[in-house]
Amino acid sequence: MDLGASPVQPSEQASWSGPSRKQLWIAAIKPPMYSVAIMPIWVGSAIAYAQVGAMDWRVLAVFLGAAICILAWINISNDVFDAQTGIDKNKHHSLVNLTGKPEQVFWVGNAFLALGLLGILWLSWRQSDPTVLVLVLIACGLGYAYQGPPLRLGYQGIGEILCFFSFGPLAVLAAHYSQIQTWSLTGLAASLVVGMVTSLILFCSHFHQVQDDLASGKRSPVVRLGTLRSARLIPWICGSIFGLTAIFVGLGIFPVWTLLSLAGIPFAVQLSRLLGTYHDQPQRISQSKFIAVALHFWVGLFLGLGFMLSRLG
């Protein structure tokens, strides 16, 4: 799931020389989007802390490291699989295009996957409970199904659904369970919010690459709906994220402190305005997914912090 594709445009890349290669590598590594791996683990662990008043920091650290490695695998293998379909022929910051060595890139990605799963295996062994491992393996399976042959479900326009479950319910509940080995309605509710805001990043990543998607037969939601109708959905999606949080607070499922996550509203407004105005101008909206990443970061950070503060208070 290429949740953090770079805003670098082909026309810009063609005119660069020298230092531009460093910029392309930074774009290929996509540092900002690793919050996508961190926030579900943070939120799930914070909920567990709010419930029992204790945090196993070693478990949290291992889970965070494993999540980052697994997301690295997802993004690296995404470059490899997209290179096979030709959809990334204009993506100069693709790792495959940068190195010209798809097989080596593929195995580097697999090494990250193995390292991440080793961390999860350690957690399951330490707790004598395979539950977290099973949840993570399901999430990895969905990640592969999104991009890998023969399924390539992302090309059928259902990538956002897979993203929602992988980075929402599966990730948040796995992190929560890793701390206290039990389930909760609060954890499930929070996973819906995290899943929605994560899927929004993927949704926004399609706007500036509609032509390449069409040429390669990728029927993303934005391709299917068109950029105008897709842009009109953004305020509703953002409103649903904050609306759900408010509803869960009103029902007593979330503590009042979680309303701190409303700090993400300015990014939701910025995103809605940008895509609403320039939805069909790729050069103008290439940063939209990074605004969505910022929205994801602040919502996740303050949602988890709200649970922590509810216990401390």
Side-chain angles (χ1 to χ4, degrees):
M1 303 177 187
D2 197 5
L3 296 172
S6 166
V8 177
Q9 297 298 316
S11 60
E12 297 171 329
Q13 297 162 354
S15 64
W16 288 357
S17 60
S20 67
R21 189 162 183 83
K22 177 181 178 181
Q23 291 176 287
L24 290 174
W25 273 101
I26 292 174
I29 296 170
K30 313 176 184 75
M33 48 72 65
Y34 280 90
S35 67
V36 170
I38 294 170
M39 287 306 150
I41 313 308
W42 158 244
V43 171
S45 300
I47 294 169
Y49 175 83
Q51 292 172 337
V52 301
M55 176 82 77
D56 190 325
W57 295 101
R58 185 165 56 169
V59 168
L60 175 61
V62 171
F63 211 143
L64 285 173
I68 290 170
C69 287
I70 290 171
L71 186 58
W73 161 70
I74 288 174
N75 283 293
I76 292 170
S77 58
N78 182 80
D79 278 2
V80 175
F81 294 137
D82 279 352
Q84 294 172 355
T85 67
I87 198 172
D88 277 355
K89 63 181 179 180
N90 294 319
K91 184 180 176 182
H92 292 253
H93 55 281
S94 161
L95 288 170
V96 173
N97 291 339
L98 278 171
T99 64
K101 300 177 179 180
E103 184 174 348
Q104 288 88 333
V105 172
F106 177 71
W107 285 109
V108 168
N110 287 342
F112 275 107
L113 174 63
L115 188 60
L117 290 180
L118 277 175
I120 301 302
L121 277 168
W122 177 83
L123 292 178
S124 296
W125 171 80
R126 183 173 183 265
Q127 298 171 349
S128 300
D129 187 338
T131 303
V132 172
L133 177 62
V134 171
L135 292 174
V136 170
L137 286 175
I138 294 172
C140 289
L142 294 181
Y144 181 86
Y146 168 83
Q147 58 192 348
L151 297 176
R152 300 188 191 274
L153 296 180
Y155 282 69
Q156 309 307 315
I158 60 174
E160 280 72 9
I161 297 174
L162 302 180
C163 180
F164 170 83
F165 284 105
S166 294
F167 293 95
L170 289 170
V172 174
L173 292 177
H176 178 270
Y177 194 92
S178 73
Q179 289 288 331
I180 58 177
Q181 288 76 62
T182 189
W183 311 104
S184 75
L185 175 61
T186 302
L188 178 61
S191 75
L192 302 182
V193 175
V194 175
M196 287 179 64
V197 72
T198 309
S199 294
L200 179 62
I201 300 173
L202 182 59
F203 186 68
C204 291
S205 74
H206 299 308
F207 278 88
H208 75 287
Q209 56 188 39
V210 169
Q211 294 306 313
D212 284 344
D213 286 352
L214 280 169
S216 301
K218 184 174 182 178
R219 305 291 293 174
S220 72
V222 177
V223 168
R224 290 179 179 273
L225 295 172
T227 58
L228 177 59
R229 283 193 291 177
S230 297
R232 288 173 175 170
L233 287 176
I234 298 297
W236 291 97
I237 297 172
C238 292
S240 298
I241 292 166
F242 296 113
L244 267 182
T245 302
I247 289 171
F248 291 145
V249 169
L251 292 175
I253 298 173
F254 286 2
V256 174
W257 281 107
T258 58
L259 290 177
L260 287 170
S261 63
L262 298 182
I265 288 177
F267 296 98
V269 172
Q270 182 184 5
L271 183 65
S272 299
R273 287 178 175 173
L274 178 66
L275 289 175
T277 304
Y278 304 112
H279 58 88
D280 58 350
Q281 300 179 43
Q283 297 279 353
R284 302 290 295 268
I285 59 174
S286 60
Q287 291 284 348
S288 63
K289 59 192 144 304
F290 289 104
I291 300 173
V293 169
L295 171 61
H296 174 275
F297 174 81
W298 291 111
V299 168
L301 178 66
F302 281 112
L303 189 63
L305 183 61
F307 284 108
M308 298 282 284
L309 290 174
S310 71
R311 182 72 188 195
L312 296 174

XYZ file of all heavy atoms in Angstrom, residues 62-138:
601
model
N 9.293 -3.129 20.951
C 9.444 -4.210 19.970
C 8.336 -4.159 18.934
O 8.576 -4.319 17.730
C 9.458 -5.583 20.682
C 9.397 -6.717 19.662
C 10.711 -5.722 21.536
N 7.105 -3.899 19.383
C 5.979 -3.849 18.458
C 6.140 -2.677 17.477
O 5.871 -2.803 16.281
C 4.664 -3.723 19.224
C 3.495 -4.378 18.516
C 2.513 -5.030 19.247
C 3.370 -4.338 17.135
C 1.434 -5.637 18.615
C 2.292 -4.936 16.492
C 1.337 -5.585 17.235
N 6.583 -1.538 17.976
C 6.806 -0.391 17.099
C 7.873 -0.702 16.056
O 7.709 -0.395 14.861
C 7.213 0.828 17.919
C 6.114 1.523 18.715
C 6.712 2.605 19.612
C 5.064 2.133 17.780
N 8.965 -1.306 16.481
C 10.016 -1.664 15.533
C 9.521 -2.657 14.498
O 9.825 -2.535 13.303
N 8.748 -3.650 14.945
C 8.205 -4.645 14.021
C 7.255 -4.006 13.022
O 7.283 -4.318 11.824
C 7.492 -5.744 14.809
N 6.406 -3.099 13.506
C 5.447 -2.431 12.624
C 6.156 -1.600 11.563
O 5.753 -1.584 10.389
C 4.503 -1.554 13.444
N 7.216 -0.913 11.952
C 7.977 -0.107 10.991
C 8.619 -1.009 9.935
O 8.596 -0.698 8.735
C 9.034 0.733 11.730
C 8.346 1.839 12.537
C 10.041 1.329 10.746
C 9.265 2.576 13.487
N 9.185 -2.128 10.365
C 9.790 -3.059 9.408
C 8.755 -3.625 8.442
O 9.010 -3.743 7.234
C 10.477 -4.202 10.160
S 12.008 -3.736 10.990
N 7.593 -3.972 8.959
C 6.554 -4.547 8.095
C 6.043 -3.510 7.099
O 5.817 -3.813 5.923
C 5.405 -5.113 8.953
C 5.890 -6.362 9.702
C 4.192 -5.449 8.090
C 4.926 -6.884 10.745
N 5.905 -2.252 7.543
C 5.484 -1.214 6.609
C 6.564 -0.966 5.558
O 6.251 -0.699 4.393
C 5.152 0.075 7.356
C 4.558 1.191 6.485
C 3.277 0.727 5.799
C 4.288 2.436 7.307
N 7.840 -1.057 5.955
C 8.925 -0.933 4.975
C 8.795 -2.027 3.922
O 8.959 -1.771 2.712
C 10.279 -1.018 5.672
N 8.489 -3.257 4.353
C 8.273 -4.348 3.396
C 7.129 -4.030 2.445
O 7.241 -4.234 1.229
C 7.971 -5.646 4.146
C 7.302 -6.687 3.287
C 7.869 -7.383 2.254
C 5.932 -7.119 3.360
N 6.935 -8.236 1.690
C 5.745 -8.087 2.354
C 4.864 -6.785 4.188
C 4.524 -8.719 2.148
C 3.649 -7.422 3.986
C 3.484 -8.377 2.981
N 6.035 -3.522 2.984
C 4.877 -3.199 2.149
C 5.249 -2.190 1.073
O 4.930 -2.364 -0.116
C 3.714 -2.666 3.012
C 3.104 -3.800 3.837
C 2.641 -2.015 2.143
C 2.044 -3.341 4.817
N 5.963 -1.146 1.451
C 6.286 -0.102 0.488
C 7.366 -0.526 -0.503
O 7.304 -0.172 -1.687
C 6.700 1.166 1.228
C 5.500 1.898 1.798
O 4.661 2.415 1.088
N 5.400 1.913 3.117
N 8.350 -1.291 -0.038
C 9.393 -1.766 -0.944
C 8.817 -2.749 -1.952
O 9.070 -2.648 -3.162
C 10.541 -2.412 -0.141
C 11.279 -1.343 0.665
C 11.517 -3.123 -1.076
C 12.268 -1.900 1.667
N 8.046 -3.711 -1.471
C 7.463 -4.684 -2.394
C 6.447 -4.032 -3.319
O 6.260 -4.466 -4.460
C 6.820 -5.843 -1.620
O 5.821 -5.387 -0.729
N 5.795 -2.967 -2.847
C 4.870 -2.235 -3.707
C 5.594 -1.686 -4.933
O 5.086 -1.745 -6.064
C 4.221 -1.095 -2.931
C 3.209 -0.326 -3.761
O 2.075 -0.753 -3.926
N 3.620 0.815 -4.299
N 6.792 -1.153 -4.727
C 7.581 -0.652 -5.859
C 7.911 -1.779 -6.833
O 7.876 -1.589 -8.051
C 8.872 -0.010 -5.355
C 8.672 1.420 -4.883
O 7.520 1.905 -4.913
O 9.662 2.058 -4.464
N 8.237 -2.949 -6.299
C 8.582 -4.082 -7.155
C 7.370 -4.541 -7.964
O 7.441 -4.727 -9.186
C 9.131 -5.257 -6.311
C 9.366 -6.484 -7.194
C 10.424 -4.849 -5.618
N 6.250 -4.716 -7.295
C 5.064 -5.221 -7.982
C 4.503 -4.195 -8.973
O 4.002 -4.562 -10.043
C 3.994 -5.610 -6.960
C 4.401 -6.774 -6.094
C 4.159 -6.750 -4.726
C 5.024 -7.889 -6.627
C 4.534 -7.808 -3.911
C 5.401 -8.954 -5.830
C 5.158 -8.912 -4.465
N 4.584 -2.905 -8.622
C 4.116 -1.876 -9.547
C 5.025 -1.770 -10.763
O 4.573 -1.442 -11.864
C 4.017 -0.520 -8.838
C 2.732 -0.376 -8.040
O 1.862 -1.258 -8.162
O 2.591 0.606 -7.294
N 6.307 -2.049 -10.575
C 7.225 -2.049 -11.717
C 6.846 -3.156 -12.701
O 6.993 -2.994 -13.925
C 8.661 -2.232 -11.236
N 6.335 -4.258 -12.189
C 5.936 -5.370 -13.056
C 4.753 -5.015 -13.951
O 4.641 -5.505 -15.072
C 5.598 -6.590 -12.205
C 6.784 -7.180 -11.462
C 6.375 -8.268 -10.492
O 5.181 -8.548 -10.286
N 7.367 -8.918 -9.870
N 3.861 -4.163 -13.464
C 2.687 -3.777 -14.249
C 2.944 -2.556 -15.129
O 2.130 -2.229 -15.981
C 1.496 -3.466 -13.324
O 1.784 -2.296 -12.554
C 1.206 -4.630 -12.398
N 4.057 -1.864 -14.881
C 4.379 -0.675 -15.673
C 3.757 0.603 -15.161
O 3.935 1.667 -15.750
N 3.047 0.529 -14.046
C 2.357 1.720 -13.551
C 3.342 2.770 -13.034
O 3.027 3.960 -12.965
C 1.346 1.329 -12.451
C 0.331 2.450 -12.232
C 2.047 0.982 -11.155
C -0.805 2.072 -11.324
N 4.560 2.321 -12.686
C 5.553 3.238 -12.122
C 6.587 3.703 -13.142
O 7.660 4.185 -12.761
C 6.290 2.563 -10.950
C 5.517 2.658 -9.645
O 4.461 3.316 -9.632
O 5.964 2.056 -8.657
N 6.276 3.601 -14.416
C 7.288 3.958 -15.418
C 7.685 5.431 -15.344
O 8.804 5.802 -15.718
C 6.775 3.621 -16.819
C 5.532 4.400 -17.250
C 5.091 3.985 -18.642
C 3.835 4.749 -19.076
N 3.394 4.339 -20.433
N 6.778 6.294 -14.867
C 7.090 7.716 -14.713
C 7.465 8.094 -13.285
O 7.641 9.272 -12.985
C 5.892 8.565 -15.157
C 5.612 8.431 -16.640
O 6.530 8.395 -17.461
N 4.338 8.334 -17.005
N 7.594 7.102 -12.431
C 7.904 7.349 -11.031
C 9.409 7.202 -10.820
O 9.926 6.137 -10.508
C 7.126 6.365 -10.140
C 7.296 6.601 -8.644
C 6.470 5.556 -7.880
C 6.684 5.669 -6.372
N 5.921 4.637 -5.640
N 10.124 8.286 -10.984
C 11.580 8.250 -10.922
C 12.096 7.926 -9.532
O 13.250 7.522 -9.380
C 12.157 9.587 -11.402
C 11.930 9.833 -12.863
N 12.938 9.748 -13.801
C 10.799 10.135 -13.550
C 12.450 10.007 -15.002
N 11.150 10.244 -14.871
N 11.265 8.145 -8.504
C 11.687 7.841 -7.151
C 11.279 6.440 -6.713
O 11.394 6.106 -5.532
C 11.132 8.874 -6.160
C 9.639 9.009 -6.225
N 8.998 9.730 -7.194
C 8.679 8.497 -5.428
C 7.690 9.668 -6.996
N 7.473 8.928 -5.929
N 10.833 5.616 -7.633
C 10.632 4.203 -7.328
C 11.988 3.568 -7.037
O 12.980 3.832 -7.723
C 9.964 3.496 -8.510
O 10.147 2.097 -8.428
N 12.050 2.713 -6.022
C 13.303 2.040 -5.703
C 13.799 1.191 -6.860
O 15.002 1.075 -7.091
C 13.126 1.173 -4.448
C 12.985 1.928 -3.132
C 12.565 0.975 -2.012
C 14.285 2.620 -2.767
N 12.875 0.606 -7.594
C 13.257 -0.195 -8.752
C 13.870 0.685 -9.835
O 14.903 0.341 -10.427
C 12.045 -0.968 -9.296
C 12.394 -1.668 -10.614
C 11.557 -1.992 -8.274
N 13.261 1.836 -10.088
C 13.800 2.739 -11.097
C 15.127 3.356 -10.663
O 15.996 3.631 -11.488
C 12.785 3.838 -11.414
C 11.568 3.308 -12.136
O 11.616 2.240 -12.750
N 10.458 4.023 -12.062
N 15.279 3.601 -9.366
C 16.518 4.182 -8.861
C 17.686 3.208 -8.941
O 18.816 3.598 -9.254
C 16.338 4.641 -7.418
C 15.687 6.004 -7.189
C 15.389 6.201 -5.706
C 16.585 7.126 -7.691
N 17.420 1.944 -8.641
C 18.501 0.960 -8.579
C 18.642 0.136 -9.851
O 19.739 -0.335 -10.167
C 18.268 -0.015 -7.411
O 17.063 -0.757 -7.645
C 18.145 0.738 -6.095
N 17.532 -0.046 -10.557
C 17.554 -0.919 -11.728
C 17.723 -2.382 -11.356
O 18.072 -3.207 -12.198
N 17.451 -2.726 -10.103
C 17.659 -4.094 -9.621
C 16.418 -4.582 -8.870
O 16.406 -4.651 -7.639
C 18.888 -4.160 -8.715
C 20.182 -3.740 -9.403
C 21.351 -3.754 -8.435
C 22.649 -3.364 -9.140
N 23.814 -3.364 -8.211
N 15.363 -4.912 -9.598
C 14.109 -5.297 -8.936
C 14.228 -6.522 -8.038
O 13.594 -6.579 -6.988
C 13.156 -5.555 -10.108
C 14.047 -5.791 -11.293
C 15.252 -4.948 -11.064
N 15.046 -7.500 -8.442
C 15.146 -8.714 -7.635
C 15.798 -8.415 -6.290
O 15.329 -8.881 -5.234
C 15.952 -9.781 -8.374
C 16.005 -11.109 -7.638
C 16.670 -12.209 -8.441
O 16.884 -12.014 -9.655
O 16.966 -13.263 -7.845
N 16.869 -7.613 -6.311
C 17.531 -7.270 -5.063
C 16.620 -6.437 -4.165
O 16.586 -6.631 -2.944
C 18.828 -6.510 -5.347
C 19.945 -7.358 -5.923
C 19.904 -7.439 -7.447
O 18.838 -7.318 -8.055
N 21.065 -7.634 -8.053
N 15.879 -5.504 -4.766
C 14.931 -4.690 -3.998
C 13.876 -5.588 -3.357
O 13.504 -5.398 -2.188
C 14.274 -3.634 -4.908
C 13.139 -2.923 -4.170
C 15.303 -2.609 -5.382
N 13.408 -6.569 -4.108
C 12.401 -7.500 -3.606
C 12.899 -8.225 -2.357
O 12.173 -8.343 -1.361
C 12.055 -8.504 -4.704
C 11.073 -9.562 -4.286
C 9.745 -9.246 -4.062
C 11.482 -10.880 -4.120
C 8.834 -10.225 -3.677
C 10.579 -11.860 -3.733
C 9.256 -11.539 -3.519
N 14.143 -8.683 -2.376
C 14.664 -9.438 -1.245
C 15.002 -8.551 -0.057
O 14.932 -8.988 1.102
C 15.867 -10.281 -1.678
C 15.406 -11.465 -2.477
C 15.568 -11.672 -3.815
C 14.653 -12.581 -1.987
N 14.969 -12.845 -4.203
C 14.399 -13.427 -3.103
C 14.167 -12.954 -0.738
C 13.683 -14.615 -2.982
C 13.456 -14.142 -0.619
C 13.222 -14.947 -1.729
N 15.360 -7.295 -0.319
C 15.522 -6.349 0.787
C 14.191 -6.172 1.507
O 14.116 -6.161 2.740
C 16.048 -4.993 0.279
C 15.948 -3.925 1.364
C 17.502 -5.119 -0.173
N 13.128 -6.045 0.723
C 11.794 -5.937 1.320
C 11.452 -7.156 2.152
O 10.927 -7.046 3.276
N 11.762 -8.346 1.626
C 11.479 -9.573 2.368
C 12.288 -9.654 3.661
O 11.823 -10.215 4.664
C 11.777 -10.791 1.495
C 10.738 -10.985 0.408
O 9.639 -10.444 0.496
N 11.081 -11.732 -0.621
N 13.501 -9.095 3.638
C 14.320 -9.082 4.852
C 13.659 -8.233 5.932
O 13.665 -8.591 7.121
C 15.717 -8.548 4.534
N 13.080 -7.092 5.539
C 12.355 -6.260 6.503
C 11.147 -7.011 7.051
O 10.847 -6.937 8.250
C 11.915 -4.954 5.856
C 12.951 -3.876 5.875
C 13.627 -3.507 4.723
C 13.271 -3.225 7.063
C 14.598 -2.510 4.747
C 14.233 -2.232 7.100
C 14.898 -1.875 5.940
N 10.448 -7.732 6.185
C 9.301 -8.522 6.639
C 9.737 -9.559 7.663
O 9.101 -9.721 8.713
C 8.618 -9.196 5.450
C 7.485 -10.167 5.804
C 6.338 -9.448 6.496
C 6.987 -10.893 4.544
N 10.811 -10.272 7.366
C 11.301 -11.306 8.277
C 11.691 -10.700 9.622
O 11.380 -11.259 10.682
C 12.495 -12.026 7.651
N 12.352 -9.546 9.583
C 12.765 -8.897 10.830
C 11.544 -8.483 11.648
O 11.504 -8.670 12.872
C 13.616 -7.677 10.499
C 14.302 -6.964 11.677
C 15.240 -7.917 12.405
C 15.061 -5.742 11.173
N 10.532 -7.926 10.975
C 9.317 -7.529 11.670
C 8.602 -8.709 12.289
O 8.160 -8.658 13.451
N 8.495 -9.793 11.542
C 7.802 -10.979 12.061
C 8.583 -11.639 13.196
O 7.976 -12.235 14.099
C 7.553 -11.976 10.926
C 6.509 -11.542 9.890
C 6.348 -12.602 8.813
C 5.163 -11.261 10.556
N 9.907 -11.521 13.157
C 10.703 -12.051 14.267
C 10.350 -11.325 15.576
O 10.265 -11.947 16.639
C 12.196 -11.902 13.967
C 12.827 -12.992 13.108
C 14.285 -12.640 12.796
C 12.751 -14.361 13.793
N 10.163 -10.016 15.477
C 9.758 -9.255 16.657
C 8.412 -9.710 17.187
O 8.233 -9.866 18.405
N 7.469 -9.939 16.280
C 6.138 -10.389 16.700
C 6.202 -11.810 17.258
O 5.502 -12.144 18.229
C 5.154 -10.307 15.524
C 5.057 -8.868 14.991
C 3.780 -10.800 15.951
C 4.629 -7.847 16.034
N 7.046 -12.642 16.665
C 7.232 -14.001 17.188
C 7.776 -13.960 18.611
O 7.354 -14.745 19.479
C 8.187 -14.785 16.284
C 7.579 -15.432 15.045
C 8.686 -15.918 14.114
C 6.667 -16.593 15.429
N 8.697 -13.043 18.857
C 9.240 -12.908 20.215
C 8.147 -12.527 21.200
O 8.083 -13.080 22.309
C 10.352 -11.859 20.229
C 10.898 -11.620 21.613
C 11.839 -12.362 22.264
C 10.501 -10.579 22.518
N 12.056 -11.841 23.523
C 11.249 -10.745 23.713
C 9.591 -9.515 22.436
C 11.114 -9.895 24.798
C 9.460 -8.665 23.530
C 10.215 -8.861 24.685
N 7.281 -11.582 20.794
C 6.181 -11.183 21.668
C 5.260 -12.361 21.976
O 4.866 -12.581 23.124
C 5.374 -10.052 21.024
C 6.050 -8.689 20.873
C 5.111 -7.719 20.175
C 6.476 -8.140 22.226
N 4.919 -13.126 20.940
C 4.015 -14.261 21.131
C 4.656 -15.333 22.000
O 4.008 -15.943 22.858
C 3.622 -14.844 19.770
O 2.883 -13.901 19.025
N 5.963 -15.560 21.790
C 6.675 -16.547 22.617
C 6.747 -16.083 24.057
O 6.537 -16.869 24.991
C 8.074 -16.751 22.048
C 8.960 -17.567 22.945
C 8.983 -18.932 23.070
C 9.933 -17.063 23.868
N 9.918 -19.313 24.011
C 10.514 -18.180 24.515
C 10.380 -15.785 24.211
C 11.513 -18.047 25.478
C 11.369 -15.650 25.171
C 11.930 -16.774 25.794
N 7.039 -14.820 24.263
C 7.166 -14.260 25.607
C 5.855 -14.373 26.379
O 5.854 -14.604 27.597
C 7.596 -12.799 25.511
C 7.841 -12.081 26.830
C 8.415 -10.702 26.552
N 8.742 -9.980 27.788
C 7.923 -9.115 28.376
N 6.735 -8.876 27.850
N 8.289 -8.497 29.482
N 4.748 -14.241 25.661
C 3.440 -14.262 26.310
C 2.758 -15.622 26.221
O 1.650 -15.789 26.730
C 2.550 -13.182 25.687
C 3.106 -11.774 25.897
C 2.368 -10.700 25.111
O 1.546 -11.001 24.243
N 2.655 -9.448 25.428
N 3.418 -16.571 25.540
C 2.846 -17.918 25.357
C 1.436 -17.834 24.788
O 0.515 -18.545 25.224
C 2.842 -18.679 26.695
O 4.155 -18.813 27.193
N 1.274 -16.930 23.808
C -0.043 -16.675 23.231
C 0.152 -16.255 21.771
O 0.807 -15.247 21.502
C -0.743 -15.567 24.011
C -2.193 -15.355 23.593
O -2.550 -15.744 22.463
O -2.966 -14.793 24.388
N -0.391 -17.015 20.803
C -0.174 -16.701 19.387
C -1.125 -15.646 18.822
O -1.074 -15.338 17.624
C -0.421 -18.047 18.708
C -1.483 -18.682 19.562
C -1.159 -18.264 20.984
N -1.993 -15.080 19.660
C -3.040 -14.187 19.153
C -2.472 -13.014 18.366
O -2.934 -12.716 17.250
C -3.904 -13.658 20.308
O -4.463 -14.758 21.024
C -5.022 -12.768 19.782
N -1.487 -12.322 18.931
C -0.918 -11.157 18.245
C -0.284 -11.577 16.919
O -0.434 -10.896 15.906
C 0.113 -10.452 19.146
C 0.853 -9.368 18.374
C -0.580 -9.849 20.361
N 0.417 -12.685 16.909
C 1.034 -13.184 15.672
C -0.016 -13.450 14.608
O 0.172 -13.090 13.439
C 1.830 -14.459 15.965
C 2.481 -15.133 14.748
C 3.500 -14.205 14.094
C 3.130 -16.453 15.166
N -1.119 -14.057 14.993
C -2.191 -14.350 14.027
C -2.753 -13.061 13.439
O -2.938 -12.937 12.222
C -3.305 -15.178 14.696
C -4.519 -15.288 13.764
C -2.789 -16.562 15.056
N -3.014 -12.076 14.287
C -3.553 -10.802 13.803
C -2.581 -10.124 12.842
O -2.992 -9.595 11.793
C -3.857 -9.882 14.984
C -5.004 -10.293 15.905
C -5.086 -9.350 17.101
C -6.330 -10.310 15.151
N -1.300 -10.137 13.178
C -0.301 -9.491 12.331
C -0.156 -10.241 11.002
O -0.024 -9.624 9.943
C 1.045 -9.397 13.059
C 2.154 -8.945 12.111
C 0.945 -8.430 14.238
N -0.189 -11.551 11.040
C -0.096 -12.334 9.797
C -1.288 -12.053 8.882
O -1.137 -11.970 7.658
C -0.016 -13.823 10.117
C 1.323 -14.314 10.688
C 1.217 -15.784 11.072
C 2.451 -14.107 9.674
N -2.470 -11.901 9.456
C -3.643 -11.551 8.644
C -3.444 -10.182 8.005
O -3.716 -9.976 6.815
C -4.927 -11.576 9.494
C -5.230 -12.994 9.957
C -6.109 -11.027 8.687
C -6.382 -13.077 10.952
